[in-house]
Amino acid sequence: MRGKPRITALVPALLLTLLPLSPLSAGPAAAAQGKPAVTLSTAQAGTGGSITVNGTGWRSRTLLMLLICGQATPARGVVGGTNSCANADGRAVTTDADGRFSRALPVTEPPVPCPCVVHVATATGAKAQADAVFQVAGHPVEPLPAQTAGGRLSVLSDTRLDGSGSLLTWFGAPPSRTLAFTVGNVGTAAVENPVFQVGTAHGVFAPQWDERQWHGTLGPGEKTRVELPVELTAGAHGDYTVSLEYGGKVLAEQPWGVGRPWGVTLFWILLCLVVPAAVFRIGMAVVDRVRPRHAARRPPPAPGHGRRRRRGTAIALRGTEPPPTPNTTLPWFTPDTGPGPAGRLSAPHEDHPTSPTTPTTPGRKGST
């Protein structure tokens, strides 16, 4: 009986020891791991102003995107996807170690009517988002499109990306494919003109969602083939992931490897070769035009003129050689037939003066 009081005294001591480990004493650490939440400094503001967006419960060191979106409520989310948001005036923020943030956001009218929200979503890592009601002063307000109750779609086959690149894609045109899949209505009511969300994510970044509407009615238990266009930005390349979402639930994901546009690289290489060559040709043309011109060229000499000129130059250089004696003999006379005494053709002999002729007496015959 003496041991019972000692055991009774040990029970409160054990409770005090275990109390700090209970969930009630988690404090800020437990709150930081809760559901992401967003609060605004004011619920209404006009274009040109700004509001302060505060967030809690997010993952630590996470990059977030802040946007003002139309056609949205916290209950239904952004009906038209990011196409309903003022994307050009969005802001990015990184949470601290406790998953909190505070960021100023300029007020801009979204491309669709209100009701509007400030939409905060993760840009990297696991998907998380939160919305806060906000009214853009002076912006039109229209009711949200009717939501079909009872219909529920489910993907019945693997998604497939149909299509291929072209020559324009090789030169940097936006790559495009067709997301094909079979969907069935597993609900109890017909689904009319369902609006799908098609997201494209590059690497570790969160997907960028676009609205794609399929026109038609799908009754309970029916199935059909759906094809939705998917397009990336110009010059996109690398590993992408195409996601399909309907009713706030991701139905399928499909990887997409986009090749590098080598035509753009080839274009720049040719440009680096052609431009310097063209500049060199233009520079040579300018130099040829501005340099002084030479004297006009003389006409080519007549045949034989150069030979006579060279001969005359050689005679002038020698100087001592007398000029040739001109031939006075007419061409139709020869030295033997020309007028005047002809030259003697016989051997030379002496010329004696002619003695007086003595008459010769006929000789007599000797006297007898």
Side-chain angles (χ1 to χ4, degrees), residues 65-276:
M65 286 298 298
L66 285 64
L67 299 170
I68 296 180
C69 303
Q71 290 283 302
T73 60
R76 292 187 57 179
V78 182
V79 177
T82 55
N83 290 337
S84 302
C85 305
N87 299 309
D89 296 298
R91 292 294 184 268
V93 65
T94 302
T95 60
D96 57 14
D98 297 329
R100 302 174 181 271
F101 72 88
S102 180
R103 185 72 161 88
L105 179 66
V107 178
T108 307
E109 294 184 353
V112 294
C114 286
C116 300
V117 298
V118 172
H119 180 71
V120 181
T122 55
T124 58
K127 182 180 178 182
Q129 61 184 13
D131 299 324
V133 178
F134 180 72
Q135 176 62 39
V136 180
H139 194 61
V141 179
E142 295 182 2
L144 294 177
Q147 184 177 12
T148 304
R152 188 160 54 93
L153 300 181
S154 177
V155 175
L156 304 180
S157 65
D158 294 335
T159 57
R160 187 178 71 242
L161 289 173
D162 296 335
S164 60
S166 62
L167 182 62
L168 295 179
T169 305
W170 199 67
F171 281 95
S176 60
R177 295 289 188 275
T178 300
L179 182 63
F181 56 94
T182 301
V183 66
N185 186 0
V186 296
T188 58
V191 178
E192 183 178 358
N193 299 329
V195 178
F196 296 93
Q197 304 292 329
V198 177
T200 54
H202 181 46
V204 299
F205 293 96
Q208 300 293 327
W209 300 95
D210 293 326
E211 178 182 355
R212 297 288 186 269
Q213 186 173 19
W214 181 77
H215 297 279
T217 302
L218 194 63
E222 296 181 352
K223 63 179 181 179
T224 185
R225 187 70 173 174
V226 178
E227 296 182 351
L228 303 175
V230 183
E231 184 175 290
L232 303 178
T233 58
H237 62 276
D239 296 329
Y240 284 80
T241 301
V242 179
S243 303
L244 177 68
E245 180 182 287
Y246 178 76
K249 180 181 179 181
V250 177
L251 302 180
E253 292 183 346
Q254 178 69 29
W256 182 9
V258 184
R260 183 180 294 273
W262 291 108
V264 179
T265 305
L266 178 62
F267 169 78
W268 284 111
I269 293 175
L270 294 177
L271 187 64
C272 293
L273 295 177
V274 172
V275 171

Side-chain angles (χ1 to χ4, degrees), residues 313-325:
T313 304
I315 294 174
L317 292 176
R318 288 196 296 268
T320 58
E321 183 178 348
T325 304

Side-chain angles (χ1 to χ4, degrees), residues 272-292:
C272 293
L273 295 177
V274 172
V275 171
V279 172
F280 175 76
R281 294 290 300 272
I282 294 174
M284 293 301 296
V286 172
V287 171
D288 185 64
R289 179 174 287 273
V290 300
R291 67 181 178 180

Side-chain angles (χ1 to χ4, degrees), residues 49-72:
S50 64
I51 58 175
T52 302
V53 183
N54 301 306
T56 57
W58 300 86
R59 297 193 312 274
S60 61
R61 311 301 181 188
T62 302
L63 181 63
L64 307 177
M65 286 298 298
L66 285 64
L67 299 170
I68 296 180
C69 303
Q71 290 283 302

Side-chain angles (χ1 to χ4, degrees), residues 301-311:
H305 176 74
R307 189 180 307 167
R308 290 194 299 270
R309 184 176 181 183
R310 287 194 297 272
R311 185 183 299 115

